[in-house]
């Protein structure tokens, strides 16, 4: 059987037996499986503690994969420390990111390929992060549709404090016990959870958490929050509510919507207690309950909220109907433009063609995420700002400062920057506001 056939078989077994724990999975791991795991592993990410790149690993690929497979099954595999760096998250915040070795990424990918078909049968529809055939755009669309269907709602805009750093490994192991008891697989996961972190030249061993950046970390986080939040909401919370409600989660970011104020208040009160049972903390300053309804209904200005890089607020269509508009969050827009400006400054002496190629790729990536219905004004602002930044740093290639705007427009004629475009439209959804 090929890899896809084996995965379908695993999915079918998991679907037929939702309470069954799999005790024998490692026999699926063979050379074909490892080659496919290598194929699915990103080749352009930063190297780990050993400094080995994907190209170096591929020089003797079959030998490396065979050796890795043998060590994994025999128990001789040793999980290396994960190199940690910090990337900007906000004006005064950073987010820790882990950089495993490439070999480790391949093996983690192989295990994810085993576990994903099983857990996909268990995960509920409200979960969107790092799952097959799901995306941020799908989460945003589901949120938009849920709010529009209610015509407004009481919203809990929640924030989990340092989720990846505080995830309780004991609780996670207990959750894994319910579905996966294969000794080889569990031993590998245990080694990854216990692997050290290399930071500032020193290795330390955190008692809690799973490093962001690991291939298996998103799946483990989904398994954890599936138990802590998703199942609890569907099985315990929703049946006790007096009105309609919804939950939208993308990894550790989530929002809850309620038709009734009293339902929202009750859930808001028990939410911190529920998370505390599993060693997690709902951030008291970043979590809030708000009445997210059209101003016409409440008689006062409606608040906005941020989710997945977008600010959501009420607006009116051309026909005067209220609808939820999503725009690029100001902080995200500023960060994107700051990165463009810094790159243009550092590369202002590159050839025009090289600069154009980079800017075109960056802008297409920006439109690929932020190009959604209702965001055209912010997209246009981004486009115009990139033009001004390019002109500014081209003008500073020398001390003459003689690149007048008309001459720059002629450069744009030869090297046009991509115009804003909507790549994810809600107008395919039945019943949206036209």
């Amino acid at each position: 059987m090929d890899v896809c056939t084996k995965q379908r078989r695993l999915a079918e077994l998991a679907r037929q037996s939702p309470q069954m724990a799999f005790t024998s999975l490692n026999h699926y791991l063979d050379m074909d499986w490892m080659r496919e795991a290598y194929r699915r592993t990103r080749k352009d990410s930063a190297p780990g503690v050993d400094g080995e790149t994907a190209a170096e690993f591929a020089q003797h690929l079959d030998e490396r994969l065979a050796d890795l497979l043998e060590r994994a099954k025999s128990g001789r595999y040793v999980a290396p420390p994960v190199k940690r760096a910090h990337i900007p998250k906000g004006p005064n915040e950073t987010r820790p990111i882990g950089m495993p070795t490439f070999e480790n990424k391949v093996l983690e990918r192989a295990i994810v390929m085993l576990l994903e078909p099983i857990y996909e049968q268990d995960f509920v529809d409200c979960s969107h992060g790092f799952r097959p055939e799901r995306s941020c755009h799908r989460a945003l669309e589901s949120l938009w549709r849920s709010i529009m269907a209610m015509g407004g709602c009481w919203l809990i805009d929640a924030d989990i404090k340092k989720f990846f750093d505080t995830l309780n490994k004991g609780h996670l192991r207990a959750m894994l016990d319910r579905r996966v008891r294969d000794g080889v697989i569990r031993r590998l996961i245990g080694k990854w959870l216990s692997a050290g972190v290399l930071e500032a030249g020193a290795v330390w061993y955190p008692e809690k958490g799973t490093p962001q950046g690991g291939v298996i970390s998103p799946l483990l986080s989904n398994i954890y929050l599936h138990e802590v939040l998703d199942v609890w909401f569907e099985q315990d919370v929703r049946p006790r509510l007096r009105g309609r409600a919804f939950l939208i989660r993308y990894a550790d970011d989530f929002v809850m919507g309620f038709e009734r104020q009293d339902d929202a208040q009750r859930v808001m009160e028990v939410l911190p207690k529920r998370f505390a049972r599993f060693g997690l903390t709902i951030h008291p300053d970043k979590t809030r309950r708000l009445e997210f309804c059209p101003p016409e209904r409440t008689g006062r200005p409606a608040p906005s909220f941020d989710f997945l890089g977008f600010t959501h607020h009420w607006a009116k269509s051309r026909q005067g109907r209220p609808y939820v508009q999503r725009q690029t969050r100001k902080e995200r827009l500023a960060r994107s433009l700051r990165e463009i400006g810094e790159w243009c400054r550092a590369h202002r002496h590159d050839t025009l063609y090289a600069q154009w190629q980079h800017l075109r790729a960056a802008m297409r990536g920006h439109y690929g995420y932020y190009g959604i219905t209702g965001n055209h004004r912010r997209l246009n602002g981004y486009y115009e700002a990139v033009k001004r930044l390019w002109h500014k740093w081209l003008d500073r290639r020398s001390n003459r400062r003689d690149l007048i705007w008309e001459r720059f427009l002629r450069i744009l004629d030869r090297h046009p920057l991509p115009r804003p475009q909507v790549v994810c439209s809600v107008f395919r959804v039945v019943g949206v506001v036209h």
Side-chain angles (χ1 to χ4, degrees):
M1 293 189 293
D2 62 16
V3 172
C4 290
T5 303
K6 292 177 181 178
Q7 288 183 312
R8 286 195 293 269
R9 173 62 177 158
L10 281 172
E12 183 62 28
L13 287 172
R15 185 165 47 251
Q16 291 176 352
S17 305
Q19 305 301 322
M20 181 179 72
F22 288 78
T23 58
S24 180
L25 286 172
N26 73 86
H27 64 276
Y28 287 98
L29 294 173
D30 55 22
M31 282 299 292
D32 288 339
W33 195 279
M34 297 301 290
R35 290 190 191 98
E36 180 63 15
Y38 167 79
R39 189 188 70 80
R40 298 187 189 184
T41 302
R42 283 186 57 182
K43 313 298 190 297
D44 59 349
S45 52
V49 294
D50 60 357
E52 185 179 48
T53 65
E56 292 168 340
F57 184 89
Q59 289 179 1
H60 304 283
L61 183 60
D62 278 359
E63 294 177 19
R64 294 294 302 274
L65 292 177
D67 177 63
L68 179 59
L69 179 60
E70 192 280 328
R71 284 184 286 130
K73 288 197 172 188
S74 67
R76 293 192 301 110
Y77 175 80
V78 177
V82 176
K83 185 165 66 174
R84 174 175 284 185
H86 292 264
I87 60 174
K89 181 182 178 182
N92 302 308
E93 291 183 276
T94 61
R95 182 191 298 274
I97 188 76
M99 292 174 280
T101 63
F102 186 78
E103 178 186 75
N104 195 72
K105 293 175 187 175
V106 173
L107 187 54
E108 286 191 19
R109 176 60 62 193
I111 302 307
V112 168
M113 288 162 52
L114 273 177
L115 300 185
E116 199 170 65
I118 297 171
Y119 281 101
E120 275 299 307
Q121 313 314 309
D122 299 342
F123 292 159
V124 294
D125 197 50
C126 66
S127 168
H128 296 270
F130 306 105
R131 294 181 57 190
E133 300 180 7
R134 289 173 180 256
S135 65
C136 290
H137 287 157
R138 181 164 172 177
L140 289 164
E141 182 178 294
S142 182
L143 174 61
W144 190 90
R145 294 177 65 179
S146 298
I147 296 175
M148 291 295 293
M150 289 186 185
C153 62
W154 287 87
L155 202 76
I156 295 179
D157 179 14
D159 181 87
I160 306 175
K161 190 175 182 179
K162 296 183 177 180
F163 168 72
F164 286 94
D165 293 332
T166 58
L167 179 151
N168 185 289
K169 297 176 183 180
H171 286 306
L172 177 59
R173 292 187 179 99
M175 294 170 187
L176 288 168
D177 281 342
R178 298 170 191 167
R179 269 308 211 178
V180 180
R181 296 180 187 171
D182 181 286
V184 171
I185 308 304
R186 292 299 301 273
R187 184 168 60 234
L188 287 172
I189 294 176
K191 289 180 177 182
W192 290 323
L193 290 175
S194 302
V197 174
L198 175 64
E199 189 171 13
V203 177
W204 59 289
Y205 298 88
E207 296 181 0
K208 297 180 180 181
T210 175
Q212 297 187 61
V215 174
I216 202 168
S217 293
L219 177 60
L220 296 180
S221 67
N222 271 336
I223 293 171
Y224 202 86
L225 288 176
H226 169 74
E227 296 288 341
V228 175
L229 179 61
D230 304 348
V231 172
W232 172 70
F233 182 82
E234 292 295 332
Q235 297 182 2
D236 296 336
V237 174
R238 193 192 293 275
R240 292 176 169 83
L241 300 179
R242 301 175 64 186
R244 293 177 293 171
F246 65 83
L247 165 67
I248 306 294
R249 181 175 67 82
Y250 189 94
D252 60 327
D253 293 327
F254 69 94
V255 292
M256 294 174 166
F258 303 87
E259 187 176 23
R260 296 175 57 96
Q261 179 181 3
D262 54 347
D263 286 339
Q265 180 61 35
R266 288 164 56 204
V267 174
M268 185 74 173
E269 291 171 357
V270 300
L271 193 63
K273 301 174 185 177
R274 172 66 182 181
F275 275 72
R277 283 183 55 191
F278 295 90
L280 300 175
T281 303
I282 294 294
H283 202 299
D285 299 326
K286 296 182 180 180
T287 300
R288 58 180 180 146
R289 177 177 59 88
L290 61 149
E291 186 180 11
F292 190 70
C293 297
E296 296 83 359
R297 201 167 104 183
T298 62
R300 55 184 178 273
S304 62
F305 69 96
D306 298 324
F307 186 63
L308 298 182
F310 290 88
T311 297
H312 304 246
H313 62 92
W314 285 98
K316 282 189 176 182
S317 70
R318 294 176 181 176
Q319 291 75 30
R321 301 171 186 168
Y323 74 101
V324 178
Q325 186 176 43
R326 292 86 51 85
Q327 293 182 313
T328 310
R329 188 178 174 185
K330 289 182 179 179
E331 294 83 355
R332 293 286 187 94
L333 180 60
R335 188 173 71 189
S336 297
L337 293 174
R338 184 169 59 250
E339 292 171 355
I340 290 286
E342 290 171 354
W343 189 93
C344 287
R345 178 184 182 182
H347 296 267
R348 62 187 181 275
H349 296 295
D350 291 2
T351 65
L352 277 175
Y353 183 78
Q355 293 184 41
W356 174 63
Q357 287 282 74
H358 177 87
L359 291 176
R360 186 172 63 167
M363 295 176 77
R364 284 178 174 169
H366 186 88
Y367 300 151
Y369 185 80
Y370 293 104
I372 68 172
T373 304
N375 195 30
H376 204 267
R377 180 178 296 177
R378 289 278 165 88
L379 295 178
N380 275 334
Y382 172 82
Y383 170 78
E384 295 296 335
V386 172
K387 280 200 309 185
R388 291 193 297 271
L389 286 168
W390 196 21
H391 173 263
K392 170 184 174 180
W393 290 109
L394 283 178
D395 192 32
R396 297 186 182 187
R397 286 162 74 115
S398 69
N399 293 327
R400 293 166 55 188
R401 306 287 296 273
D402 59 352
L403 181 60
I404 61 174
W405 190 255
E406 288 75 14
R407 184 180 164 205
F408 177 64
L409 291 179
R410 290 196 293 271
I411 292 175
L412 286 179
D413 286 338
R414 298 193 306 272
H415 301 89
L417 296 175
R419 292 275 183 176
Q421 56 180 320
V422 172
V423 298
C424 183
S425 172
V426 297
F427 292 120
R428 68 178 181 272
V429 183
V430 176
V432 302
V433 179
H434 291 277

